[in-house]
Amino acid sequence: MTTSPLPGGTPAPDQSLPLIHWLQAGLDCSAGWRSERGAPPPKRVVLADDTLSADVAYRLACEGTALLWRGDFQNARQMLQALGRRADQKPARKLRKGVKPAAAPTSPADAFHQHRQAQSQRARVLGMLLIPFEADYGIPLRRAPDARHACAQAWGPAPTDTAAASVASLRELLGVVSAYEWRKKGVEVSALGPAPNNRIHPHYGVFSPLRGEYVSLVASAPLPAGDVASSGYVAFDIGTGTGVLSAVLARRSVAHVVATDQDPRALACAQDNLTQLGVAQQVQLLRTDLFPPGRANLVVCNPPWLPARPSSPLEHAVYDEDSRMLLGFLGGLAAHLAPGAEGWLILSDFAEHLGLRTRAELLAAFQRCGLKVLGRIDAKPLHPKAADASDPLHLARAAELTSLWRLAAIGGGND
């Protein structure tokens, strides 16, 4: 295999990544392939620049041909917007003979699955517009931004091989840059107290606490009985993510919080946030699946709310395939509750309104796991989609409630 320089003179691929190949001036060229969602490198790649029309680009992308951009970076952004407009249009052309139009959804669950399928297809098409990167994550295109710091935070330090080149979709790059800006700016969380010391800074790939109602529920629910400031009072935060719920508990004077997560990105993010908020001494971070050893006075968990398969690692905070985390939390909760302790399950009923799970199934899971309901506190979501009538899932979003379920072990001293 021979390699040819990308614009800017980066001749060799990053060998730590799978390779993407294309022909340029008769030469077989290659570079490392970056995809956060784990998509394989496109098999068909053509070079594209400012002379390519949006209609032709859209046709090629729909056919599965990737477009490696060689023109002006800002024109690439305009091309991506044009592809998005075409992907969002209702198909006006006639269907091929023998091809039936998509059936109208017959239930909320059908609407949900059709919506996800359409979003997946849209992401696949828009992901066909590719951008080259030099070894230090510089973008060798005219009018390209300096995204090196953003890429390093998302992808790790640049390769030590100064000749290593890579390629990623423009859509993914824009997500990386957006996450970098959110990380710098932070998200104000009113439940953490007054500004300015109330911001959470989400890292790339870690779910941002933009849905503030679930945080407010943890901030306002009455804590289980006991001296929360004593060293013997312990809370577990299962699946801590950014560390926001651990920070809320620490701000409520809980002396010792053990926060767990399986994702190294999440643990690094939580450590940064807890340190910045001045509560790191109260929180122990532990990489593990669900529960740490021992029992606690309070166990808090905010699992992904929708029982569906995530299509990328970034979706694991939203989709919980087969309700693995939810059922794992419920199944192990009783064994990790001290006498008189409570488990707080923070869960939206969005899945119920979509027909993906019933309230009866949830209550049956509580009973099956030896748990009883002490109470429930509800909050109405305030995010913009709840009022967006054009959203395909509007009816379910408009009816949604987020609840904090106060659970206890049957016979666990809460009677």
Side-chain angles (χ1 to χ4, degrees), residues 290-291 301 303-304 307 320-333 345 347 357 361-362 364-366 368-369 371:
L290 296 175
F291 297 94
C301 183
D320 183 17
E321 187 174 7
D322 299 323
S323 299
R324 188 203 72 85
M325 185 173 179
L326 171 62
L327 296 179
F329 170 71
L330 296 176
L333 179 58
L345 171 66
L347 193 66
R357 178 174 54 231
E361 289 172 335
L362 181 63
F366 294 164
R368 188 170 61 249
C369 296
L371 301 168

Side-chain angles (χ1 to χ4, degrees), residues 3-305:
T3 61
S4 177
L6 291 169
T10 38
D14 181 349
Q15 298 295 342
S16 66
L17 301 169
L19 296 181
I20 181 172
H21 299 270
W22 69 94
L23 285 175
Q24 182 173 342
L27 296 176
D28 179 17
C29 305
S30 63
W33 168 246
R34 299 185 180 278
S35 172
E36 179 66 27
R37 64 187 180 92
K43 293 182 179 179
R44 298 190 301 276
V45 182
V46 298
L47 302 182
D49 60 24
D50 311 322
T51 63
L52 184 67
S53 75
D55 286 335
V56 172
Y58 184 66
R59 175 178 58 80
L60 290 171
C62 288
E63 293 171 351
T65 299
L67 311 170
L68 180 56
W69 197 257
R70 286 288 191 261
D72 179 90
F73 180 86
Q74 300 305 325
N75 287 345
R77 292 194 62 164
Q78 292 181 15
M79 174 64 79
L80 186 66
Q81 293 170 359
L83 295 179
R85 289 193 295 271
R86 283 158 176 77
D88 292 337
Q89 288 174 353
K90 301 293 183 184
R93 61 184 180 278
K94 294 182 179 180
L95 294 168
R96 292 192 309 252
K97 186 176 181 179
V99 177
K100 296 181 179 180
T106 58
S107 68
D110 285 342
F112 169 73
H113 292 304
Q114 286 190 19
H115 175 67
R116 286 208 75 202
Q117 185 176 23
Q119 291 298 97
S120 176
Q121 173 67 7
R122 184 181 192 276
R124 187 191 68 81
V125 171
L126 299 190
M128 289 293 171
L129 184 55
L130 311 182
I131 297 294
F133 294 87
E134 297 171 328
D136 65 350
Y137 300 141
I139 302 171
L141 300 176
R142 295 189 306 275
R143 294 202 295 166
D146 184 353
R148 289 175 294 177
H149 290 298
C151 292
Q153 287 195 354
W155 298 335
T160 55
D161 180 358
T162 57
S166 60
V167 168
S169 75
L170 174 57
R171 192 167 186 260
E172 183 153 322
L173 170 65
L174 296 179
V176 165
V177 172
S178 176
Y180 177 67
E181 293 303 319
W182 273 112
R183 179 170 175 175
K184 288 195 302 182
K185 178 183 177 182
V187 177
E188 186 171 337
V189 178
S190 60
L192 287 171
N197 194 24
N198 66 350
R199 287 188 174 272
I200 290 291
H201 298 264
H203 291 196
Y204 179 72
V206 183
F207 192 66
S208 175
L210 292 173
R211 292 280 300 262
E213 73 275 3
Y214 78 91
V215 184
S216 296
L217 287 170
V218 174
S220 59
L223 293 167
D227 181 4
V228 297
S230 72
S231 59
Y233 196 102
V234 178
F236 292 167
D237 174 16
I238 308 302
T240 191
T242 61
V244 62
L245 296 185
S246 289
V248 167
L249 293 174
R251 287 275 171 91
R252 297 190 67 182
S253 301
V254 175
H256 185 49
V257 182
V258 182
T260 70
D261 209 295
Q262 291 191 96
D263 185 357
R265 278 177 173 170
L267 292 172
C269 178
Q271 182 66 68
D272 286 352
N273 282 312
L274 295 167
T275 300
Q276 179 260 329
L277 291 169
V279 295
Q281 294 299 318
Q282 293 166 250
V283 183
Q284 174 189 355
L285 293 169
L286 185 64
R287 185 180 181 184
T288 189
D289 185 13
L290 296 175
F291 297 94
R295 296 174 181 266
N297 303 86
L298 173 64
V299 182
V300 177
C301 183
N302 175 37
W305 291 346

